[in-house]
């Protein structure tokens, strides 16, 4: 972005890329949440067999994995609120696409980590109570990965909003004045 009022292309592709950013944030974040919930849920089921009195403390990984889906939903709703504006340009669409991918993929990675850590540490918690604090710390650091993606997506959304204000949309960007024949 070099200056205020510069013309920039505003094509339907900008809305496509913005929509893909919203969709990828939601899809990848929910994939991470689903994997983390399923994998940690297996450990919780095993905990129910080994030490059924510890189940309420053992469901912490399942809850933390579910939060990842909320991160994706937040990103998708924020991106979607910008779509359809008359000043939505290609630059904003590309930024929203990148922000959606960053948030979604970070939540996917966090879900993978929460699932693996949650499954193994919940099983260990069933045998040894002292592992609980270590389990919580590992899960917090795994959840932070998704939070980092959410923060970056929010910062990128701010940049996309600034681009919508800084540039004027130019529709029909064909500026070729020579007679061109297509063979």
């Amino acid at each position: 972005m070099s200056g205020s009022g510069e013309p920039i292309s505003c094509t339907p592709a900008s809305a496509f890329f913005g929509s893909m950013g919203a969709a990828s944030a939601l899809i990848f974040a929910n994939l991470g949440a689903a994997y983390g919930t399923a994998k940690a849920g297996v450990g919780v089921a095993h905990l129910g067999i080994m030490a059924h009195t510890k189940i309420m403390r053992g469901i912490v990984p399942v809850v933390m994995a579910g939060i990842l889906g909320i991160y994706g939903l937040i990103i998708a709703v924020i991106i979607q609120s910008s779509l359809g504006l008359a000043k939505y340009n290609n630059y904003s669409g590309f930024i929203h696409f990148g922000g959606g991918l960053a948030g979604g993929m970070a939540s996917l990675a966090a879900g993978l980590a929460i699932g693996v850590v949650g499954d193994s540490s919940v099983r260990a918690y069933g045998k040894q109570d002292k592992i609980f604090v270590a389990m919580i710390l590992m899960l917090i650091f795994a959840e932070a990965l998704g939070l980092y993606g959410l923060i970056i997506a929010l910062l990128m959304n701010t940049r996309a909003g600034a681009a919508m204000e800084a540039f004027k949309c130019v529709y029909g960007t064909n500026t070729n004045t020579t007679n061109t024949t297509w063979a």
Side-chain angles (χ1 to χ4, degrees), residues 22-137:
S24 25
L26 193 60
I27 290 167
F28 289 126
N30 283 315
L31 280 172
Y35 179 83
T37 299
K39 183 86 168 142
V42 170
V44 172
H46 186 1
L47 178 65
I49 295 169
M50 288 177 18
H52 64 81
T53 59
K54 298 179 180 181
I55 287 181
M56 288 311 292
R57 290 181 83 183
I59 63 168
V60 172
V62 174
V63 172
M64 291 182 81
I67 293 170
L68 298 173
I70 296 170
Y71 293 167
L73 179 65
I74 291 169
I75 295 167
V77 167
I78 289 173
I79 291 173
Q80 180 276 335
S81 67
S82 298
L83 296 175
L85 298 176
K87 55 188 175 180
Y88 195 75
N89 55 47
N90 290 353
Y91 185 85
S92 298
F94 298 149
I95 292 289
H96 279 146
F97 182 56
L101 280 177
M105 292 296 218
S107 291
L108 176 61
L112 294 172
I114 288 171
V116 172
V117 168
D119 182 30
S120 60
S121 61
V122 163
R123 290 174 190 253
Y125 173 61
K127 295 179 182 177
Q128 176 59 260
D129 287 343
K130 293 179 182 177
I131 197 75
F132 185 76
V133 174
M135 175 181 80
I136 296 298
L137 286 174

Side-chain angles (χ1 to χ4, degrees), residues 132-145:
F132 185 76
V133 174
M135 175 181 80
I136 296 298
L137 286 174
M138 289 184 285
L139 290 171
I140 288 171
F141 287 119
E143 181 82 24
L145 299 175

